[in-house]
Amino acid sequence: MVIVSWIILGLVAGVIAKILLPGRDPGGLIGTTLTGIVGAFLGGWISTRFLDHPISKDPFDFATWVAAIGGSLILLIVYRLFFGNSRERR
């Protein structure tokens, strides 16, 4: 059950990040979910390492959601910095 809740957290965090940063990004449902899951790990690592605020392993904690969405936004920004022009229509 914990794995399913983390997948749902990743999906919702990825969707929220894509809403906050609209544009053409890779992936559909699976890509968005993976962006959210990796973003959650990245946000948790940044929060623990640099902000001295460890994240709870409870997927229903508010700080976990903020870290997941923030990490997903960072991933989308980095993606656009490296591959931003490759997805434009010509």
Side-chain angles (χ1 to χ4, degrees), residues 1-14 33 37 65:
M1 189 65 183
V2 174
I3 293 173
V4 173
S5 63
W6 281 104
I7 291 172
I8 292 171
L9 170 88
L11 174 63
V12 174
T33 304
I37 291 170
W65 284 92

Side-chain angles (χ1 to χ4, degrees), residues 11-82:
L11 174 63
V12 174
V15 167
I16 291 172
K18 284 188 174 187
I19 289 172
L20 292 175
L21 197 65
R24 293 183 53 107
D25 294 309
L29 183 66
I30 294 173
T32 301
T33 304
L34 290 176
T35 300
I37 291 170
V38 174
F41 282 110
L42 178 65
W45 179 77
I46 289 172
S47 177
T48 302
R49 178 83 173 168
F50 298 109
L51 302 177
D52 196 30
H53 187 273
I55 297 298
S56 170
K57 292 183 181 178
D58 179 22
F60 302 108
D61 183 38
F62 181 73
T64 303
W65 284 92
V66 171
I69 295 167
S72 299
L73 285 170
I74 291 171
L75 283 178
L76 288 176
I77 290 169
V78 168
Y79 176 82
R80 288 185 185 173
L81 287 174
F82 286 108

